[in-house]
Amino acid sequence: MGTQDFPLKGTCRCGHTSFEISAPPLVTSACHCRGCQQMSSSAYSLTAIMPAPAFRVTEGEPVKGGLQGPQADHFFCPDCKTWMFTRIPGYDEIVNVRPTLLDDPGWAEPFIETMTAEKLPWVTTPAKHSFEGFPEMDRFQGLMEAFAKDRL
């Protein structure tokens, strides 16, 4: 990932809804689940798992779409319908941001990949850690520490 100057700014496709992140992500990820394939119209979705205080919407009013509870709430620009971020009920301390919406998305290489049991057979990513499902919560601390060291 390298060093970044914060805050980083991002926007939906039409530019009506904007956000910024004011700190590095806890970890970056590619999710291969069928839901993410359908939501992104792609082979996987990219995520930067952010500490919630480091994320804020700066313009516009995102609306819920896609999943609307109980496992996750997806938020979209109400105008162009770009999938911008996800909040997971019960995990209010994090926000999953779509890093390709940032002005400079080049640093968002996935460190982990999840749900590889549903991965399309021709897909590869540069992720250093791979999980058939989602990693157990007790593994996340070690993954976040490894990600922080990898960024230096």
Side-chain angles (χ1 to χ4, degrees), residues 9-81:
K9 298 179 184 309
T11 187
C12 63
R13 182 165 175 108
C14 72
H16 292 158
T17 305
S18 303
F19 67 92
E20 70 179 23
I21 60 173
S22 59
L26 301 170
V27 72
T28 55
S29 176
C31 181
H32 297 279
C33 80
R34 186 70 181 127
C36 281
Q37 291 170 8
Q38 291 171 320
M39 288 283 293
S40 66
S41 299
S42 187
Y44 52 84
S45 71
L46 291 176
T47 297
I49 301 174
M50 300 299 305
F55 171 80
R56 75 181 184 100
V57 174
T58 56
E59 188 174 338
E61 294 288 329
V63 296
K64 287 184 186 181
L67 282 181
Q68 299 176 44
Q71 292 111 354
D73 292 316
H74 295 145
F75 289 86
F76 294 77
C77 168
D79 297 310
C80 67
K81 311 303 186 233

Side-chain angles (χ1 to χ4, degrees), residues 71-94:
Q71 292 111 354
D73 292 316
H74 295 145
F75 289 86
F76 294 77
C77 168
D79 297 310
C80 67
K81 311 303 186 233
T82 299
W83 180 23
M84 300 185 73
F85 61 95
T86 301
R87 294 188 186 272
I88 302 170
Y91 293 94
D92 297 336
E93 66 276 3
I94 63 168

Side-chain angles (χ1 to χ4, degrees), residues 111-147:
F111 186 72
I112 66 173
E113 61 181 346
T114 61
M115 299 301 293
T116 60
E118 298 179 25
K119 181 168 77 166
L120 296 174
W122 47 266
V123 171
T124 60
T125 76
K128 295 183 177 169
H129 302 274
S130 192
F131 300 90
E132 284 191 2
F134 289 109
E136 298 295 323
M137 290 309 291
D138 61 352
R139 299 260 339 251
F140 264 101
Q141 186 63 39
L143 289 167
M144 291 185 298
E145 290 170 5
F147 176 75

